[in-house]
Amino acid sequence: MDAAEQLRSQDASLFHRSGCPGAEVTLCILGSPSTFLSLLLEGGIQSPGNMLLCLSPAWLMKVATPGQEGEAALLVSKAVSFYPGGLTFLDDFVPPRHATYFLAGLGPESGHGKEAAELARNLTCPTGTSSELARLLENRLLMRWLLSQQSGVAVPATLAFTYRPPGLLRGGDASPGLRLVELSGKEGQETLVKEEVEAFVHSEALGDASQVAVRLSGCRGRGQQALPLHLRVEPSTVVNTVLGLLEKLEEEESVLVEAMCPPVRLPLPGGPAPGPELAVRVCAVVCRIQGDRPLLSKVVCGVGRGDRPVRHHYTLPRTLGVALAQCGLEEEAQVALLEQGIKEAAEGALAAVLALEAGLSVEQRGGRQVHTDFLGVDFVLTVIGRTLTPVVLKLNSGLCLEACGALEGLWAVPRLRRSAEEAAAAPLVETMLRRSGRHLMDGKQLLVIGAGGVSKKFVWEAARDYGLTLHLVESDPNHFASQLVQTFIHFDVTEHRRDEENARLLAELVRTRNLKLDGCFSFWDDCLVLTALLCRELGLPCSPPAAMCLAKQKSRTQLHLLRCQGPPWPSTSLHAVACCPLESEADVERAIYQVPLPGVMKLEFGSGAVGVQLVKDGPQCHEHFSRILHDLQGEADHPGIGLGWGNAMLLMEFVEGTEHDVDLVVFGGRLLAAFVSDNGPTRLPGFTETAACMPTGLAPEQEAQMVQAAFRCCLGCGLLDGVFNVELKMTGAGPRLIEINPRMGGFYLRDWILELYGVDLLLASTMVACGLQPALPAHPRARGYLVGIMCLVSQHLQLLSSPGSRETLQALHDQGQLRLNLLEEALIPGQYEEPYCNVACAGPSPAEARHRLLGICQGLGIDRPNYPVAHFLSHFK
């Protein structure tokens, strides 16, 4: 029975399909189903049909890539695909699918190490590991030398005898507990070995350890099971064992003498000890997330006899809390302290590995696209200085993930309640998807319409990081972004009533310059309709121009949706708000009787809440209409807020409730992702944003209502492809629409979503613009909370104009104490102002993030009598 038949016999839900069409994203795993169980189950949920398991290297082949010497693409001809609910298919792919990410089991237990190692080497697609990195990872001496330099990471006291050690090890002792002895030869070393061993077994570094182990470190030491253990008080037997191994020592190998950490003596619950002492071995999975940061994903434990090593595959996995309770440790403060110690040590271990990896050559890593995306860290619990301490025994590339999968597999059994905890592989799946998206977009040519302001500086930096080639159309010939793109086209795009004509002219310019475009997009409100028209001219993917026009004009959006009575039910009209367009004083008089007052008066094509005001009666309506018509007549009066479309206004009903933003990723009319944030109360009668919190504090049902309302409103307007920002209010009767911004969310939103969820709305926007489905997890989870406050020139001019204060803000940002998003460049006070910057703090809960932010605002002077930060943050308690 071959591997596929074995899998089919174990899983009745495995079906065979031929010629199944493949998606763009292809996450390919080569290895045992048990090793990657957590990854496969999570991949089936987060990216259905795109997580493929290959049970044999014969199901894969490498094909040389033209123009990339020495590198090859990886093609998948056969694989098992995974879907939610444990549904699996055995697929034959004709033609083969191109892998966008590859991860192979390379340990001794994989059964096809050499073939897997060759397949993983020098691929053009992102790769999660290689045999070269695996050898480094499983070299105990190298890893201990590396980890001993990390603060907060404890390793067993170790004496190492090395013969012609690798260059990575040359650099002397790393810590008092790690002693490296470089041998000039393998023979005649008796005296030196005896002196070093005796000094080691009598050193304080061994603590309470009564035994030492002697082992090989290097390729031949991988998978060693039986270890000779020796009493610390009998150094002669240790010396003899070391000398015996030295005779067989090869270049870059070492003989290690290491302390056997004594198992911690935990109090047993009630009664005398029924048997031998118990030892706890801890497995931690830590993943590389956005920004190359390590994140502890999950911890599982094994419990065994204290008089023998506790090994993988010889113990049942359980959670840390259960394992400690079984051993008698249930005191919450101690458990929390230990959990924090494990987290710091595991994340420190991956940080050290990533730092080492950054200094390796392409050849040493095994390929240009090879990076360590996850790590297994094995700990033993012992007491050091009267403190319960996790000590790192070894690092691995699959065993800890396998242990987590075995524990998670318990909840897949019918009739058992599924665990609500995040899967160990969830951050890894996010990383695989993110790297796949970057791979698919590398080298893509995109035309950007409108460069925006200083708040969009991240676009140009991210484009360079993603390997995009950008061409820019912009009205300002001296815009800073003109120097950051491949091609700059100076073209006046401010007169939007000529967008159709300008789209034809721009299309001709693109053809004249022979630009080979994969996509065209805009993140700037004023240019969205022009972009849709230009995409139609060039035959590039985009939502229809009619949909963009409908979403761009606020009164048309509401009136159109009010007519959408369904089906389906609930109809979209339930989310729309009564309104009336205004172009003359007569329109204002008519609107007063059509729209319930109080109402909100705003510019039809405006942005940034400029000119938006609460009006309570007829006189206020006329007064505000006249003032806007006088003050904001054209683009020169306030650039960048939509006055190129004219200064028509609308009056809409004011609805009571909390305000929220919903940022959506939509592809082919399907909702791929949604992120909901909360806004604080505004400074009425104005509506300039004051504060925000992400993720939302709404109840899950209300959050789902918000997402559904935002998505239905976009579909109702014909917005089928793109990244959209929808502003709504949660009222007593449910969500009500404020407006749709048919582009990526502005201000701080892209930055916050990237930080909390690891999802980049900019990358998603560019993928949709190229007709590619964004590589996003289906159910992203936030890692903490962000609470932020806006700073205004009218309220904080002294603070913002002081070099010292601005340096303090930047320093706190650089130290990670706060997040600073600069939204404007010039400190220009005025009646119609937009926020100058946003200051935010992170925390494990909204209350803690709010508390930190309030303290900083009080210390820096952002909190003022006329700008009560505590009030603006009051919604986030």
Side-chain angles (χ1 to χ4, degrees):
M1 184 182 292
D2 65 14
E5 290 172 340
Q6 290 175 7
L7 184 64
R8 194 182 298 116
S9 67
Q10 296 167 9
D11 188 350
S13 64
L14 178 66
F15 302 95
H16 187 275
R17 302 184 298 180
S18 297
C20 180
E24 287 290 338
V25 170
T26 302
L27 312 176
C28 179
I29 311 298
L30 174 61
S32 161
S34 64
T35 301
F36 294 110
L37 180 62
S38 175
L39 180 59
L40 296 169
L41 292 176
E42 184 68 10
I45 295 170
Q46 298 287 13
S47 189
N50 295 329
M51 180 69 74
L52 304 181
L53 173 66
C54 292
L55 298 171
S56 167
W59 296 6
L60 298 157
M61 63 178 173
K62 293 172 75 171
V63 178
T65 305
Q68 293 177 279
E69 188 176 351
E71 293 188 341
L74 186 67
L75 304 184
V76 187
S77 60
K78 188 174 185 177
V80 181
S81 56
F82 290 78
Y83 293 82
L87 185 63
T88 53
F89 292 91
L90 181 58
D91 293 324
D92 293 304
F93 300 110
V94 181
R97 281 176 66 163
H98 280 254
T100 59
Y101 185 96
F102 182 57
L103 180 64
L106 297 169
E109 67 285 344
S110 67
H112 36 67
K114 288 185 178 179
E115 297 97 325
E118 181 52 41
L119 283 169
R121 186 172 292 114
N122 292 320
L123 292 176
T124 55
C125 70
T127 309
T129 189
S130 66
S131 60
E132 288 81 359
L133 285 184
R135 280 197 296 272
L136 295 178
L137 197 65
E138 297 191 13
N139 185 314
R140 285 183 183 249
L141 177 57
L142 176 60
M143 289 301 110
R144 285 188 185 170
W145 177 82
L146 193 67
L147 297 181
S148 65
Q149 300 176 73
Q150 291 284 116
S151 61
V153 181
V155 297
T158 304
L159 170 65
F161 296 96
T162 67
Y163 174 64
R164 296 182 181 175
L168 293 172
L169 265 177
R170 297 188 178 108
D173 293 351
S175 74
L178 179 60
R179 168 76 172 152
L180 274 64
V181 180
E182 186 172 346
L183 303 176
S184 57
K186 294 184 285 185
E187 299 177 357
Q189 304 295 332
E190 292 82 358
T191 302
L192 176 61
V193 168
K194 182 179 179 181
E195 291 175 353
E196 292 289 350
V197 167
E198 289 185 349
F200 178 71
V201 299
H202 290 102
S203 70
E204 295 181 358
L206 272 70
D208 296 331
S210 61
Q211 292 180 308
V212 295
V214 182
R215 68 166 78 237
L216 270 178
S217 175
C219 293
R220 292 187 300 154
R222 295 170 70 186
Q224 247 182 306
Q225 293 296 323
L227 281 180
L229 299 180
H230 307 279
L231 292 174
R232 179 178 174 182
V233 295
E234 297 176 358
S236 59
T237 60
V238 179
V239 171
N240 292 335
T241 305
V242 171
L243 291 173
L245 289 175
L246 284 181
E247 295 175 1
K248 308 169 187 176
L249 204 62
E250 297 179 0
E251 287 189 20
E252 299 194 353
E253 288 186 338
S254 307
V255 176
L256 305 186
V257 182
E258 60 184 50
M260 292 297 294
C261 298
V264 60
R265 293 177 174 82
L266 297 175
L268 286 166
E277 292 178 350
L278 297 178
V280 178
R281 181 168 181 142
V282 178
C283 279
V285 173
V286 57
C287 301
R288 181 170 70 100
I289 63 170
Q290 173 69 32
D292 290 338
R293 293 172 297 169
L295 176 73
L296 178 66
S297 175
K298 182 162 282 191
V299 175
V300 299
C301 299
V303 178
R305 292 169 60 105
D307 57 354
R308 61 190 65 169
V310 182
R311 300 185 182 281
H312 288 285
H313 301 153
Y314 294 94
T315 181
L316 295 174
R318 61 207 77 187
T319 62
L320 179 63
V322 168
L324 294 177
Q326 288 175 329
C327 295
L329 181 62
E330 297 184 86
E331 205 280 311
E332 289 186 7
Q334 278 189 295
V335 173
L337 194 62
L338 179 60
E339 287 175 340
Q340 185 61 29
I342 292 171
K343 175 179 172 64
E344 291 176 359
E347 292 179 352
L350 181 55
V353 170
L354 295 179
L356 172 70
E357 185 181 294
L360 300 178
S361 66
V362 170
E363 292 75 17
Q364 288 174 312
R365 292 204 316 271
R368 177 176 56 89
Q369 293 275 27
V370 176
H371 293 287
T372 300
D373 287 332
F374 79 102
L375 190 65
V377 186
D378 275 323
F379 296 93
V380 65
L381 296 185
T382 190
V383 174
I384 299 178
R386 305 192 64 166
T387 301
L388 187 59
T389 304
V391 176
V392 178
L393 292 180
K394 60 177 288 191
L395 307 181
N396 63 75
S397 57
L399 291 173
C400 289
L401 186 64
E402 182 176 25
C404 291
L407 182 62
E408 291 165 10
L410 289 176
W411 305 112
V413 177
R415 295 179 298 280
L416 287 181
R417 182 170 54 86
R418 176 175 285 277
S419 171
E421 286 187 4
E422 187 174 58
L428 175 57
V429 172
E430 291 176 18
T431 296
M432 295 165 75
L433 289 169
R434 182 171 57 253
R435 292 187 67 190
S436 288
R438 293 175 65 122
H439 171 66
L440 288 169
M441 290 303 294
D442 186 32
K444 288 286 190 287
Q445 307 254 347
L446 287 110
L447 184 66
V448 181
I449 311 300
V454 66
S455 65
K456 298 297 186 289
K457 270 191 173 181
F458 67 84
V459 170
W460 321 107
E461 298 164 358
R464 183 172 56 251
D465 184 42
Y466 291 148
L468 304 178
T469 299
L470 297 188
H471 311 277
L472 173 63
V473 175
E474 167 57 34
S475 304
D476 180 4
N478 300 313
H479 197 287
F480 70 85
S482 65
Q483 305 300 312
L484 304 175
V485 294
Q486 181 78 16
T487 306
F488 179 71
I489 300 175
H490 176 223
F491 191 97
D492 184 5
V493 296
T494 58
E495 182 48 70
H496 298 293
R497 283 165 287 203
R498 298 178 56 188
D499 273 351
E500 291 203 22
E501 177 187 349
N502 287 339
R504 290 191 291 271
L505 293 173
L506 281 171
E508 189 57 36
L509 280 173
V510 167
R511 297 185 187 104
T512 301
R513 297 190 178 219
N514 197 30
L515 299 181
K516 306 298 183 184
L517 299 178
D518 297 293
C520 172
F521 80 112
S522 180
F523 44 79
W524 198 241
D525 274 296
D526 283 8
C527 300
L528 298 173
V529 174
L530 174 60
T531 300
L533 291 165
L534 180 56
C535 285
R536 186 176 65 183
E537 290 285 334
L538 297 173
L540 294 172
C542 188
S543 285
M548 285 292 188
C549 288
L550 190 58
K552 180 61 185 170
Q553 189 170 355
K554 295 175 175 57
S555 66
R556 283 190 63 199
T557 305
Q558 299 283 2
L559 295 172
H560 171 78
L561 294 177
L562 281 170
R563 293 191 293 269
C564 295
Q565 298 294 328
W569 185 87
S571 67
T572 312
S573 62
L574 294 174
H575 307 302
V577 177
C579 70
C580 188
L582 310 174
E583 292 188 9
S584 66
E585 291 285 354
D587 292 333
V588 176
E589 191 63 31
R590 183 176 65 255
I592 291 170
Y593 296 99
Q594 293 181 358
V595 177
L597 296 179
V600 178
M601 192 173 285
K602 59 170 72 173
L603 288 164
E604 274 278 26
F605 303 95
S607 62
V610 175
V612 183
Q613 185 162 318
L614 181 71
V615 286
K616 297 180 179 180
D617 51 33
Q620 284 191 4
C621 290
H622 284 287
E623 179 188 353
H624 189 61
F625 181 79
S626 299
R627 183 165 59 249
I628 293 296
L629 249 58
H630 176 268
D631 294 348
L632 302 176
Q633 297 183 16
E635 184 73 13
D637 294 323
H638 202 306
I641 63 162
L643 292 173
W645 292 88
N647 63 350
M649 302 188 73
L650 76 150
L651 177 66
M652 63 185 293
E653 180 183 357
F654 174 73
V655 290
E656 292 282 358
T658 55
E659 188 173 333
H660 307 268
D661 279 62
V662 183
D663 289 275
L664 304 174
V665 181
V666 181
F667 185 78
R670 292 178 293 118
L671 179 63
L672 300 186
F675 308 93
V676 183
S677 54
D678 303 338
N679 291 332
T682 62
R683 301 169 68 224
L684 295 175
F687 287 88
T688 301
E689 184 176 318
T690 57
C693 176
M694 181 181 278
T696 179
L698 291 172
E701 180 180 325
Q702 291 180 308
E703 181 183 9
Q705 288 178 338
M706 275 288 174
V707 171
Q708 186 77 305
F711 181 47
R712 284 179 179 272
C713 288
C714 287
L715 292 186
C717 291
L719 298 170
L720 305 179
D721 295 279
V723 176
F724 309 124
N725 171 259
V726 185
E727 299 175 30
L728 304 106
K729 275 192 171 182
M730 177 56 78
T731 73
R736 291 292 183 270
L737 177 68
I738 299 174
E739 61 187 50
I740 298 174
N741 301 303
R743 42 79 180 155
M744 175 178 62
F747 290 158
Y748 48 79
L749 284 169
R750 181 259 182 180
D751 178 53
W752 282 22
I753 292 169
L754 185 60
E755 172 68 17
L756 292 173
Y757 296 93
V759 171
D760 190 350
L761 293 185
L762 175 62
L763 182 59
S765 298
T766 59
M767 293 190 74
V768 173
C770 293
L772 298 175
Q773 178 173 322
L776 302 176
H779 307 284
R781 296 192 187 189
R783 300 188 179 96
Y785 290 82
L786 281 168
V787 175
I789 192 79
M790 292 295 197
C791 293
L792 306 178
V793 174
S794 63
Q795 301 298 316
H796 306 108
L797 180 59
Q798 184 175 356
L799 168 72
L800 298 174
S801 60
S802 163
S805 298
R806 294 176 67 169
E807 288 172 6
T808 299
L809 280 171
Q810 188 61 51
L812 290 172
H813 172 84
D814 295 340
Q815 296 164 14
Q817 299 298 310
L818 57 79
R819 297 190 74 81
L820 175 64
N821 287 95
L822 193 63
L823 308 176
E824 295 290 333
E825 198 161 18
L827 290 165
I828 303 175
Q831 182 179 359
Y832 305 105
E833 67 176 341
E834 297 178 81
Y836 178 78
C837 67
N838 181 271
V839 175
C841 286
S845 68
E848 188 163 337
R850 174 182 174 276
H851 179 73
R852 292 175 183 173
L853 179 61
L854 187 56
I856 284 179
C857 289
Q858 290 170 344
L860 294 176
I862 297 173
D863 183 37
R864 301 161 49 87
N866 293 333
Y867 203 77
V869 172
H871 169 66
F872 299 142
L873 303 182
S874 60
H875 285 186
F876 315 138
K877 289 182 179 178

